Amino acid sequence: MERKAVRNLRLCTKDCLCLYVCPTGASDTEDSVIDVDRCIGCGQCADACPSGAISLVPVKYPRQQEKDEDVVSSLMDLAASRARQEAIAEAVGESGDREGLRRLALAIARSSRISAEDLVREAGFMLPQSDGAIDLLRSLVENPPVSFPVESARRLVSLLERRR
Amino acid sequence: MKYICSICGYVYDEEAEGVPFDSLPDDWTCPGCGAEKAMFDPQEESGTGLAGSFERHVSGVATMTKLTPAILSIVFSNLARGSGKQYQGEEERLYGEISSYFSSICDGEEADLGMLQTLVAEDLAQRFPAALESAQERGDRGALRARLWAEKVSRIVSSLLSRYGREGEAMLEGRQVWVCSVCGFIHIGDDAPGMCPVCKVPGWKFDSVS
Ligand code: SF4
Ligand code: SF4
Ligand SMILES: [Zn+2]
Ligand SMILES: [Zn+2]
């Protein structure tokens, strides 16, 4: 399976061993993001890094597991409720003059979004390049709602298809 | 008698503490996660109290959810995050743009704290048990995991809202509000917790709300 190295910038402690061992110079970039065009996926950098900041990820990911319809609908019900909670909490956060409540409400809004994202992930929208995600984008391109960013969606589909 | 926190699993042992659980003041909170007293369940001596209390039978709550703009905004912001994790910057940006589009066409909601509390309570009473039933039936481990984390996060939200109802602004004065970027757990305190009590990530995964 073809792989590429990626660096987690939050874990990187700039010990630079990856620069010493990389045979192609892919790991030495001005923005610290490993150059995918140069990387040959040999894994030397990941083995050498003392901070566990580099991992090798597949270029193409496996198909996702099939999801049961009842499981999907019960998780989506929860996500829909969370979506409303996010919107209400945002409205609370933006109204009024109580500083503590404002921060608590914004925290609840953020928390609702994070949790809803996790639920939809388990309801079948895990991988950005999965069939389900691409089909959804295609159907939006074919029947776009008013002022939907069609060109962006089209571009996204073409990027994703390359990685499927 | 022992009482166990339904969010982080902290056990309050009356015998060891020397104070009956019922006599603790109303503003006492869980030393493990900050949840209020109401989030504790008595621990049955037989040992399986926690699991047992979840096994209420609920039927027919689930209906096939329509992909509303609100849901689509979440689906796409989640896919943006997924692209980010795979270091696909352009995909991340495009998914993000589509997510923002759907947020912008959502019906607005009123700033109604009571409604917020009602929705959280409905989730805890109906939607979480329904999701538990379907995920258990299919043996879907991923769904069981996401559901459990989300349920614990709902409990802390419910707990914080009722504490705010009692204590008001004093509860938050001079304290930071932290959100776990992985599961959404909320912590109130000067610093982020060492570890998330729900999903167990280290403290640096928390962001404070300003
Ligand atoms: S070896 Fe690891 S810590 Fe050092 S620069 Fe490379 S990624 Fe960062
Ligand atoms: S996997 Fe090999 S080529 Fe790619 S960055 Fe690491 S050392 Fe360099
Ligand atoms: Zn607790
Ligand atoms: Zn967490």
Side-chain angles (χ1 to χ4, degrees):
Chain A
M1 189 165 41
E2 196 192 349
R3 300 192 300 170
K4 297 279 181 189
V6 292
R7 179 194 277 124
N8 184 328
L9 300 184
R10 282 190 88 161
L11 295 178
C12 171
T13 46
K14 301 290 182 287
D15 290 303
C16 295
L17 284 163
C18 61
L19 315 188
Y20 305 163
V21 300
C22 178
T24 66
S27 64
D28 195 1
T29 56
E30 68 287 2
D31 59 1
S32 297
V33 176
I34 294 176
D35 184 341
V36 284
D37 295 328
R38 286 198 182 181
C39 176
I40 55 169
C42 67
Q44 293 291 340
C45 54
D47 290 343
C49 174
S51 313
I54 299 186
S55 39
L56 288 154
V57 296
V59 174
K60 292 199 161 82
Y61 284 73
R63 290 182 93 83
Q64 282 187 267
Q65 268 183 292
E66 289 291 328
K67 282 283 175 179
D68 174 74
E69 213 175 278
D70 288 346
V71 172
V72 169
S73 76
S74 67
L75 294 179
M76 285 305 227
D77 279 350
L78 278 166
S81 172
R82 278 289 207 276
R84 284 198 64 196
Q85 291 164 38
E86 180 193 22
I88 297 172
E90 252 170 19
V92 171
E94 282 159 12
S95 69
D97 45 10
R98 285 172 292 173
E99 171 55 19
L101 181 60
R102 184 187 69 81
R103 288 182 296 131
L104 179 62
L106 290 180
I108 292 173
R110 202 182 287 174
S111 161
S112 304
R113 163 76 47 161
I114 291 167
S115 177
E117 286 179 347
D118 191 22
L119 293 162
V120 302
R121 194 149 52 232
E122 289 299 339
F125 293 102
M126 173 110 47
L127 270 186
Q129 64 271 44
S130 63
D131 295 348
I134 295 178
D135 289 347
L136 179 57
L137 284 168
R138 279 224 190 82
S139 71
L140 287 164
V141 167
E142 275 158 31
N143 287 306
V146 183
S147 65
F148 178 75
V150 178
E151 277 320 307
S152 299
R154 218 176 251 142
R155 165 89 187 136
L156 189 48
V157 169
S158 74
L159 288 172
L160 295 167
E161 277 184 331
R162 253 185 263 160
R163 305 205 295 123
R164 183 139 64 149
Chain B
M1 183 80 172
K2 290 177 181 165
Y3 291 80
I4 182 163
C5 174
S6 61
I7 297 171
C8 73
Y10 179 88
V11 176
Y12 183 89
D13 183 347
E14 289 183 321
E15 213 171 305
E17 305 282 344
V19 179
F21 190 74
D22 285 340
S23 321
L24 289 170
D26 281 345
D27 60 359
W28 182 88
T29 55
C30 172
C33 72
E36 55 170 355
K37 268 176 86 178
M39 292 296 135
F40 278 71
D41 298 316
Q43 192 177 37
E44 271 142 47
E45 299 305 337
S46 56
T48 55
L50 192 60
S53 71
F54 287 146
E55 274 166 25
R56 275 157 298 169
H57 200 82
V58 175
S59 56
V61 187
T63 46
M64 195 55 202
T65 312
K66 277 203 357 243
L67 291 174
T68 59
I71 279 279
L72 285 168
S73 162
I74 285 162
V75 164
F76 287 118
S77 71
N78 166 56
L79 294 170
R81 240 197 217 249
S83 293
K85 285 185 182 159
Q86 295 175 35
Y87 301 83
Q88 301 293 330
E90 188 181 359
E91 282 179 17
E92 183 180 9
R93 189 180 56 71
L94 291 167
Y95 266 133
E97 182 188 339
I98 295 172
S99 170
S100 305
Y101 163 77
F102 283 110
S103 301
S104 76
I105 63 166
C106 283
D107 299 331
E109 294 278 353
E110 302 285 319
D112 182 348
L113 269 186
M115 188 62 206
L116 182 56
Q117 266 166 312
T118 303
L119 283 173
V120 176
E122 278 177 15
D123 284 355
L124 289 170
Q126 299 170 350
R127 296 183 193 99
F128 282 115
L132 178 64
E133 198 178 287
S134 59
Q136 265 177 347
E137 205 165 288
R138 307 291 158 172
D140 187 331
R141 297 290 296 272
L144 285 169
R145 195 270 314 145
R147 192 212 67 88
L148 181 65
W149 285 7
E151 184 179 51
K152 290 179 169 187
V153 170
S154 285
R155 286 179 192 276
I156 199 73
V157 168
S158 153
S159 174
L160 291 171
L161 286 172
S162 68
R163 267 185 70 195
Y164 185 82
R166 279 198 312 273
E167 299 169 30
E169 286 292 299
M171 168 185 162
L172 297 148
E173 224 162 72
R175 293 200 187 88
Q176 305 242 63
V177 184
W178 300 86
V179 181
C180 175
S181 63
V182 173
C183 72
F185 178 78
I186 300 174
H187 169 82
I188 313 253
D190 295 337
D191 299 303
M195 187 201 260
C196 176
V198 172
C199 75
K200 315 294 181 211
V201 296
W204 61 264
K205 286 277 192 181
F206 279 73
D207 299 312
S208 82
V209 176
S210 53

